[in-house]
Amino acid sequence: MKLLRVKPGEEVIETLTRRAAEEGITNGAIVSLIGAVDECAISNMLADDAGADIVNEYRQPLELSGTGEIRDGKVHVHVVLGREGDNALAGHLHRARVETFFVHAYTIALQEG
């Protein structure tokens, strides 16, 4: 298992993609993602069109947990985000910026065979 860290001043998807490549992970599972972000963009599918996404942006501190995968070097993450007022948001993570805290991704490489 590899720990991929996202530090203050970094974008989550870009950083995980770069760090996975540095670790030689082309295909694998992001078993657990934990931390907090200061802004993000997530999407969910339209009720009458699963092929279309509604992307929403949030600019506030958000607790983050999630899972995902790395396929052919591309990071795909689904998250649950907690915000002020004990409200939860969930969806596909398009981007997220870490400024105050961190995000840790615990990752396992898929063995080709």
Side-chain angles (χ1 to χ4, degrees):
M1 183 172 292
K2 297 282 185 173
L3 170 58
L4 307 180
R5 299 172 198 260
V6 182
K7 299 175 185 172
E10 295 181 320
E11 194 284 321
V12 173
I13 299 297
E14 286 176 4
T15 302
L16 294 179
T17 300
R18 184 181 73 251
R19 297 234 164 96
E22 291 168 359
E23 293 291 338
I25 303 171
T26 304
N27 294 293
I30 299 172
V31 177
S32 178
L33 195 68
I34 188 166
V37 299
D38 295 272
E39 64 179 71
C40 70
I42 61 172
S43 69
N44 288 281
M45 298 176 283
L46 288 170
D48 60 352
D49 184 0
D53 280 339
I54 300 170
V55 178
N56 289 298
E57 295 189 10
Y58 299 92
R59 287 180 171 74
Q60 67 184 93
L62 299 150
E63 299 282 345
L64 176 147
S65 63
T67 60
E69 66 179 358
I70 303 165
R71 301 263 323 206
D72 299 322
K74 185 173 180 179
V75 171
H76 181 136
V77 174
H78 287 190
V79 295
V80 176
L81 302 154
R83 63 181 178 170
E84 181 181 15
D86 300 326
N87 293 310
L89 305 164
H92 170 79
L93 185 66
H94 289 267
R95 64 175 179 74
R97 187 109 187 125
V98 175
E99 293 297 339
T100 308
F101 298 101
F102 64 87
V103 170
H104 289 167
Y106 296 87
T107 307
I108 297 175
L110 177 66
Q111 299 299 319
E112 301 294 326

